[in-house]
Amino acid sequence: MNKFKNKVKKIGLQGKLFSAFLLMAFLVFIVGWVGQDGSFQLTGYLSEISEVRVPSIVGLQMMDRGLSAVQAGELALLNPLLTEKNRQDKLNQIQQAKKLIEAGYKKYDPLPRTANEDKLWQSFRVKWDRWQQEDKELLRLEEQLRQMGFRNPYSVQIDLYRKGQVNSPLMAKAVAARMLLEKMNTRAVTINKPLFIATQEALQKVIKENEAIAETQKQAADQSVAQTQFWVLLGMFGGSAIAIVLGVVLSVAIAKPLDRVIRGIVNTLVSSSTEMVATVQQQENIASKQAAAVNEITTTIDELKTSSKAAQEQVNAVVKEANQALSLAKTGSLTVRQTVEDITLLKNAVEAISQKIQALNQRMNQIGNISLIVSELANQTNMLALNAAVEAVRASEQGKGFSVIAIEIRRLADQSKQSAAEINTLVINIQKAIDSTVIEMDEGNNRMETGVKTAQQTVAAFEVVNKAIENIVSYNQKIALTAKEQALAMQQVVDAMNAINLGAQESAIGISQTKVTTENLNDVAFKLQAVV
């Protein structure tokens, strides 16, 4: 025991605290691990019950109810006093029961099963399949009886006996129907019912197996909860007791060494606080000088910011004027281009008119040629008329009438000749006017070509001017952007310097407060030294 106490005394304060907290952490870990393991086990049990056993029992019970309903409906169909409506109701009941069986089967069959449960389920499946086959056969016989038309062959036979129709065909049918009904009753009692009982008993075994498994899982869950509660209570009360013991031991082990440590700390604190007061005084003086320097720098940067802003405004004004000049230059270029297009169109029109005038000159030449031909024809007609007049004079009285006609033809020929001469004169005058017009149009066309070339040169000059102005605008925009960036940078510098100025002022205030606090701390240290 003494050796243990000596070993404990040799352990430092940090080691003791670490050991105590390590022990408490170990206890908390054990309790937490037990609780977590119990929680996992409980979750598994509950999952098995809720996700497997409960759906299994529900599905199996659905199948059990369906089997009982089918058996009851088929037994009711054997009653010869059953009406057609009641028969149809029973058949519908059987179909609904089979659907219930199918739903229960689909609900249970995909679920996991234990080895014993699966063995019981396979045994049930064999008996169920056999019962389904016999059930289909019984329903087939019932449908055959319905098609024979005798629901109660006994009453039909009695009626036929009373009427004396013992050997009639109807009696033969009634006898066959009775024998079929007796066969159905025999199958229902000797085959279907035992198979139904065996199938239902097998199904009940599967249900009881699931109930037993569910009960086992429930008991395991209850045991897990009880075990978890035990360990949690043990950890809670045991941990509290250990914490109290460790607290007492550590308080005794810490008190004496702590007193020695506090005395050394107080002496060191007195010495350090005196030195800290002197250092804080120096830092206060330096902070005051820094605040004054930062304030002067901030003022200078504000002035630079104002100058930069004025330069940016001037550059923006230059950019605006340059944009206006560029707009006017573009407008002039467009106007000159339009003028070139208009002159070109006019030139094309003049060339077309010149071509038409030349064609007109050719037509006038043709008219002149025609007028010459007319004049020649008039001369020939005049000669023929003169000859005709001479011949008429020779013919004496018989040629007077012809002489008058010849005179008239001669007169007309003279008029034609005169008209042809006038036409020829007009054609010559028109040709002269056309030639003069063609010459003037050629001169105008030459002048328009010269104007087009001049306008094209003007357009080229405008394009050079536009390009130069665009370059000026681009340069000015870059200058404006640079000036804007410089202004933003100056603003950021101003903000930064204001922040530094504010920080310097706050530092000065903080140092002053630190000085006061340090002086107070120094006083407290001296008082604490006096007390200790």
Side-chain angles (χ1 to χ4, degrees):
M1 189 68 178
N2 292 327
K3 291 182 179 180
F4 178 74
K5 290 182 178 179
N6 292 329
K7 289 182 179 180
V8 171
K9 289 180 179 179
K10 290 180 181 180
I11 299 175
L13 179 60
Q14 183 178 2
K16 293 176 182 178
L17 290 173
F18 179 76
S19 300
F21 283 116
L22 184 63
L23 179 59
M24 292 302 299
F26 178 73
L27 291 174
V28 172
F29 172 76
I30 293 297
V31 173
W33 180 79
V34 172
Q36 183 71 10
D37 183 65
S39 176
F40 283 148
Q41 291 181 1
L42 181 61
T43 301
Y45 296 142
L46 294 177
S47 176
E48 175 71 17
I49 293 171
S50 63
E51 297 179 4
V52 179
R53 295 305 147 200
V54 172
S56 297
I57 295 172
V58 171
L60 293 171
Q61 288 179 348
M62 290 170 64
M63 294 182 68
D64 184 60
R65 292 197 303 273
L67 287 171
S68 299
V70 170
Q71 182 67 16
E74 290 177 350
L75 291 176
L77 290 175
L78 298 175
N79 186 3
L81 299 178
L82 198 67
T83 62
E84 182 62 26
K85 182 178 182 303
N86 291 334
R87 173 188 173 276
Q88 191 61 42
D89 292 340
K90 294 300 179 182
L91 289 174
N92 291 335
Q93 176 184 341
I94 292 171
Q95 293 299 323
Q96 293 297 325
K98 288 184 177 181
K99 290 182 180 179
L100 182 63
I101 294 172
E102 184 67 21
Y105 176 81
K106 290 181 178 179
K107 189 176 186 65
Y108 173 75
D109 188 63
L111 296 174
R113 293 183 286 274
T114 63
N116 188 44
E117 181 187 2
D118 188 66
K119 183 178 179 181
L120 295 173
W121 174 248
Q122 296 303 326
S123 177
F124 162 76
R125 286 280 302 270
V126 173
K127 296 176 182 178
W128 184 38
D129 293 339
R130 176 63 179 160
W131 175 79
Q132 284 182 313
Q133 293 176 359
E134 295 300 328
D135 175 69
K136 291 180 181 178
E137 179 63 20
L138 184 63
L139 291 177
R140 187 187 68 79
L141 294 175
E142 196 278 334
E143 179 64 21
Q144 185 178 352
L145 178 63
R146 187 190 67 82
Q147 291 178 357
M148 294 177 70
F150 297 102
R151 292 301 308 167
N152 191 356
Y154 300 104
S155 63
V156 174
Q157 281 185 297
I158 292 171
D159 291 339
L160 291 175
Y161 274 119
R162 289 176 181 175
K163 293 178 181 180
Q165 299 178 359
V166 177
N167 298 320
S168 63
L170 187 60
M171 177 62 80
K173 287 185 177 181
V175 171
R178 179 178 59 79
M179 293 177 65
L180 182 60
L181 182 59
E182 291 176 353
K183 181 180 178 181
M184 291 172 59
N185 280 281
T186 302
R187 289 186 66 88
V189 173
T190 60
I191 299 176
N192 287 64
K193 186 174 181 180
L195 284 174
F196 167 73
I197 293 172
T199 303
Q200 194 172 40
E201 288 177 351
L203 183 61
Q204 287 296 326
K205 289 181 181 179
V206 180
I207 293 174
K208 289 179 180 179
E209 179 67 16
N210 273 274
E211 291 176 347
I213 295 172
E215 182 64 24
T216 303
Q217 296 291 331
K218 179 178 177 300
Q219 292 175 0
D222 293 339
Q223 184 178 359
S224 176
V225 171
Q227 184 179 0
T228 303
Q229 290 177 347
F230 169 76
W231 283 103
V232 170
L233 291 174
L234 180 62
M236 182 173 65
F237 290 109
S240 299
I242 293 173
I244 293 172
V245 172
L246 290 175
V248 173
V249 172
L250 289 175
S251 62
V252 173
I254 291 172
K256 292 181 179 180
L258 189 61
D259 183 63
R260 291 194 299 270
V261 173
I262 290 174
R263 288 180 181 276
I265 292 173
V266 168
N267 293 329
T268 304
L269 181 62
V270 170
S271 176
S272 300
S273 62
T274 303
E275 295 176 357
M276 191 181 296
V277 170
T279 303
V280 168
Q281 183 66 40
Q282 294 177 358
Q283 289 180 351
E284 183 180 15
N285 296 330
I286 294 171
S288 299
K289 293 179 181 179
Q290 287 179 348
V294 169
N295 192 17
E296 292 178 1
I297 294 172
T298 303
T299 303
T300 304
I301 292 175
D302 282 333
E303 294 176 356
L304 291 174
K305 176 185 171 184
T306 304
S307 301
S308 177
K309 186 175 181 181
Q312 182 184 1
E313 291 177 354
Q314 293 177 357
V315 171
N316 289 333
V318 172
V319 170
K320 184 177 180 181
E321 294 295 332
N323 285 326
Q324 291 178 354
L326 178 61
S327 178
L328 293 174
K330 288 182 178 179
T331 302
S333 178
L334 292 174
T335 303
V336 173
R337 287 180 183 275
Q338 186 64 39
T339 304
V340 171
E341 292 177 358
D342 293 339
I343 293 173
T344 303
L345 293 174
L346 180 60
K347 176 185 175 184
N348 294 332
V350 170
E351 289 178 352
I353 293 171
S354 177
Q355 292 176 358
K356 291 180 180 179
I357 290 174
Q358 289 177 358
L360 180 62
N361 191 17
Q362 292 177 358
R363 296 289 186 276
M364 293 306 296
N365 288 331
Q366 293 176 359
I367 293 171
N369 294 330
I370 293 170
S371 65
L372 292 176
I373 294 171
V374 170
S375 179
E376 184 65 26
L377 290 175
N379 290 329
Q380 292 179 2
T381 302
N382 194 6
M383 290 297 297
L384 291 174
L386 181 59
N387 293 331
V390 172
E391 293 297 329
V393 171
R394 288 180 181 177
S396 186
E397 290 296 331
Q398 289 80 8
K400 283 185 178 181
F402 188 74
S403 176
V404 174
I405 293 170
I407 293 170
E408 186 64 25
I409 290 172
R410 185 178 179 187
R411 186 178 64 80
L412 290 174
D414 290 336
Q415 290 179 356
S416 298
K417 182 178 180 181
Q418 185 179 357
S419 297
E422 292 176 356
I423 290 170
N424 192 20
T425 302
L426 289 174
V427 167
I428 292 171
N429 293 329
I430 291 171
Q431 285 178 341
K432 291 180 179 180
I434 288 172
D435 292 337
S436 177
T437 301
V438 168
I439 292 170
E440 291 179 357
M441 290 181 70
D442 289 337
E443 293 178 356
N445 194 12
N446 293 330
R447 286 194 293 272
M448 281 188 289
E449 289 180 354
T450 303
V452 168
K453 291 180 180 179
T454 303
Q456 290 176 347
Q457 293 175 356
T458 304
V459 169
F462 268 111
E463 289 178 352
V464 173
V465 172
N466 287 340
K467 188 174 182 180
I469 295 175
E470 287 176 353
N471 291 332
I472 293 171
V473 170
S474 177
Y475 294 149
N476 286 329
Q477 288 176 346
K478 291 179 180 179
I479 294 171
L481 181 60
T482 303
K484 184 177 180 180
E485 292 176 351
Q486 288 178 352
L488 292 175
M490 295 299 293
Q491 181 63 42
Q492 292 175 356
V493 173
V494 169
D495 294 338
M497 292 306 298
N498 288 329
I500 293 172
N501 189 12
L502 182 61
Q505 293 175 0
E506 291 177 352
S507 298
I509 295 172
I511 291 172
S512 298
Q513 294 175 352
T514 303
K515 177 183 177 183
V516 174
T517 304
T518 305
E519 291 175 350
N520 294 332
L521 180 62
N522 194 17
D523 294 337
V524 171
F526 280 112
K527 292 178 181 178
L528 184 61
Q529 187 180 25
V531 172
V532 175

